[in-house]
């Protein structure tokens, strides 16, 4: 098996938000995945640190964890700084975006993550922190852009100073998502044109390209990646994820995935080609009650990436199969299937550790096949 690809999974799939939870999940799950997928090679970690965990860590514990990684042949490749607080076992929904980039708390949290990550990263290497796509679309107004730019510049300046003072290159990776201020690729391009970040900090921001999110938008990998390249927007990392998909009369089967924890945005394509957007599955259900015919619907629900079908619905695995071979080989890849615990019981597969290993192996096999490697 080829190990050249910088490939990991995001630990946000494991419940728990305190630092003790993070450590326990690494011991119980991540090391199991390393043994299965990378027993003889250093294993990258896609670490999710909540704000409570990040501010709980002191210098001694940061140093202890660096030693832990070295002893177990692991290293931190990227941090997920998207969910600020609880992410499992409670109603998350729209609260996952809060505090957003209108709030100085978001900048303070992200700066803290950068300070921690800098201590876990060898000089001369690059790392990333993914973050919310500015804010949820609902309630965002034009007058908020000034606050957003101020707080983003505060963090980008912080990243630049870390680097200039001998630290690693750490980039902020905005993650577009349906129902958010940054949703479609064209909105990402417009955002960078609007922000006009100074040249002194422009290299410290880019994109976390989540394949599930862009597939839900009915975007094509070749088109959106080319649009980002033309605009000079760096893809800092790619989250390898897959969405739900159904066509025609089968669209109603998507409603079985409605659950109370996460927001499951839906985009429906009518038979005339119009795209209708719903913030969550109840909105889709109300539209379907009208009885109007539809062509296809895709839903933001991170499902196991190796599956082309899941029960009576399909997935957007085809997007991954098209997208992955188009990426630069050095692009960090982070599998992010955090919904194992909220899948309908009949559709739950292996243990999380076994499923993660299967997902990482699927990515490697897909890339090896695309690049003619064995």
């Amino acid at each position: 098996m080829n190990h050249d690809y910088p490939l990991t999974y995001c630990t946000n799939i494991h419940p728990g938000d305190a630092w003790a939870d993070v450590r326990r999940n690494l011991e119980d799950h991540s090391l199991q995945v390393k043994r299965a997928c990378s027993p003889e090679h250093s294993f990258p970690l896609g670490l999710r640190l909540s704000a409570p965990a990040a501010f709980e860590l002191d210098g001694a514990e940061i140093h202890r964890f660096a030693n832990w990684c070295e002893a177990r042949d692991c290293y931190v490749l990227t941090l997920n700084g998207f969910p600020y607080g609880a992410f499992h076992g409670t109603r998350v929904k729209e609260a996952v975006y809060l505090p957003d980039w209108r709030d100085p708390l978001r900048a303070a949290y992200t700066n803290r993550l950068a300070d921690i990550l800098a201590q876990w990263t060898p000089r001369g290497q690059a790392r990333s922190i993914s973050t919310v796509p500015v804010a949820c679309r609902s309630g965002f107004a034009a007058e908020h852009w000034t606050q957003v730019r101020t707080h983003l510049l505060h963090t980008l300046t912080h990243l630049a100073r870390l680097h200039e003072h001998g630290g690693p290159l750490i980039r902020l990776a905005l993650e577009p998502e349906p129902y958010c201020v940054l949703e479609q690729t064209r909105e990402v391009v417009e955002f960078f044109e609007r922000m006009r970040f100074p040249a002194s900090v422009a290299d410290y921001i880019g994109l976390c390209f989540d394949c599930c999110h862009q597939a839900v938008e009915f975007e094509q990998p070749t088109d959106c990646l080319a649009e980002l390249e033309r605009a000079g927007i760096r893809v800092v990392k790619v989250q390898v994820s897959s969405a739900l998909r159904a066509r025609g009369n089968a669209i109603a089967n998507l409603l079985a995935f409605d659950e109370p924890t996460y927001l499951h945005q839906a985009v429906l394509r009518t038979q005339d080609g119009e795209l209708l957007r719903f913030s969550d599955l109840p909105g889709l259900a109300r539209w379907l009650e009208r009885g109007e015919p539809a062509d296809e619907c895709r839903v933001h629900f991170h499902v196991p990436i190796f599956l082309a079908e899941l029960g009576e619905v399909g997935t957007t695995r085809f997007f991954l199969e098209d997208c992955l071979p188009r990426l630069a080989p050095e692009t960090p890849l982070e599998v992010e299937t955090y919904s194992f615990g909220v899948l309908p019981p009949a559709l739950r597969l292996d243990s999380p550790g076994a499923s993660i290993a299967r997902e990482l192996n699927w990515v490697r096999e897909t890339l090896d096949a695309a690049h003619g490697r064995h």
Side-chain angles (χ1 to χ4, degrees):
M1 181 184 297
N2 187 281
H3 287 268
D4 292 343
Y5 314 113
L7 171 63
T8 185
Y9 80 98
C10 186
T11 62
N12 68 349
I13 81 158
H14 305 305
D17 302 297
W19 176 242
D21 300 320
V22 174
R23 288 293 303 268
R24 182 176 60 252
N25 288 328
L26 291 172
E27 292 279 2
D28 293 348
H29 301 294
S30 300
L31 292 182
Q32 176 189 351
V33 175
K34 182 190 187 314
R35 287 191 295 269
C37 297
S38 189
E40 299 177 358
H41 298 267
S42 188
F43 184 65
L45 300 173
L47 208 58
R48 186 250 161 163
L49 282 182
S50 69
F55 287 104
E56 173 189 352
L57 284 172
D58 59 18
E61 184 59 27
I62 291 170
H63 182 69
R64 277 193 291 270
F65 182 67
N67 291 337
W68 183 95
C69 288
E70 184 176 2
R72 289 155 183 81
D73 199 16
C74 298
Y75 66 96
V76 179
L77 175 66
T78 182
L79 291 183
N80 185 331
F82 195 127
Y84 185 92
F87 193 59
H88 290 273
T90 186
R91 178 183 169 87
V92 178
K93 297 293 184 180
E94 295 92 336
V96 74
Y97 310 112
L98 299 175
D100 58 38
W101 281 102
R102 292 172 291 186
D103 191 327
L105 285 175
R106 173 60 63 173
Y109 164 49
T110 309
N111 291 358
R112 176 59 181 162
L113 292 179
D115 291 340
I116 295 169
L117 184 56
Q119 296 178 70
W120 291 337
T121 306
R123 185 175 300 182
Q125 296 195 17
R127 296 291 188 263
S128 63
I129 302 170
S130 53
T131 190
V132 295
V134 177
C136 182
R137 187 175 293 275
S138 177
F140 190 86
E143 59 265 27
H144 296 152
W145 281 117
T146 299
Q147 297 167 300
V148 168
R149 190 175 188 275
T150 296
H151 298 141
L152 281 170
L153 278 176
H154 180 59
T155 288
L156 297 181
T157 301
H158 187 77
L159 298 179
R161 285 175 179 161
L162 280 175
H163 192 208
E164 290 162 2
H165 293 164
L169 171 59
I170 298 175
R171 292 188 173 100
L172 184 65
L174 295 159
E175 182 182 333
E177 181 172 316
Y179 191 52
C180 291
V181 172
L182 301 185
E183 181 170 350
Q184 301 169 72
T185 301
R186 65 169 178 80
E187 292 171 324
V188 173
V189 174
E190 291 167 359
F191 164 80
F192 277 87
E193 291 173 347
R194 176 193 295 271
M195 291 291 100
R196 297 178 182 268
F197 293 118
S200 58
V201 299
D203 192 37
Y204 298 93
I205 188 168
L207 213 63
C208 172
F209 187 91
D210 188 302
C211 295
C212 168
H213 299 170
Q214 302 319 121
V216 168
E217 295 292 333
F218 284 84
E219 295 195 337
Q220 301 296 325
T222 181
D223 296 335
C224 42
L225 291 175
E227 189 173 358
L228 293 171
E229 185 175 6
R230 284 194 300 271
I233 299 170
R234 183 189 301 273
V235 176
V236 174
K237 74 174 181 180
V238 169
Q239 284 187 327
V240 184
S241 53
S242 190
L244 291 169
R245 174 201 192 205
R247 304 196 68 180
N249 293 332
I251 291 174
N253 295 326
L254 293 169
L255 301 180
F257 291 83
D258 188 18
E259 55 80 34
T261 303
Y262 302 114
L263 200 63
H264 299 299
Q265 304 94 316
V267 179
L268 180 140
R269 185 170 63 194
T270 68
Q271 291 188 334
D272 296 331
E274 182 184 4
L275 295 181
L276 305 178
R277 291 176 167 81
F278 306 93
S279 63
D280 208 347
L281 285 172
L284 173 64
R286 288 190 292 272
W287 189 90
L288 292 176
E289 288 172 358
R290 295 160 51 177
E292 297 181 27
D295 173 41
E296 182 175 343
C297 186
R298 300 180 186 180
V299 174
H300 176 213
F301 195 118
H302 289 223
V303 294
I305 62 174
F306 46 77
L307 295 177
E309 296 180 350
L310 197 60
E312 297 179 339
V313 302
T315 75
T316 59
R317 190 182 76 176
F318 62 88
F319 187 100
L320 291 174
E321 292 169 330
D322 184 12
C323 183
L324 290 172
R326 299 179 184 277
L327 301 171
E330 68 275 9
T331 304
L333 306 175
E334 183 183 43
V335 173
E336 194 199 24
T337 306
Y338 57 78
S339 59
F340 288 114
V342 295
L343 281 170
L347 299 178
R348 296 179 191 177
L349 305 169
D350 305 320
S351 67
S355 292
I356 296 160
R358 187 175 172 188
E359 291 190 301
L360 296 182
N361 286 331
W362 181 87
V363 174
R364 283 206 173 98
E365 290 164 4
T366 299
L367 287 169
D368 285 347
H371 298 304
R373 296 175 173 179
H374 301 284

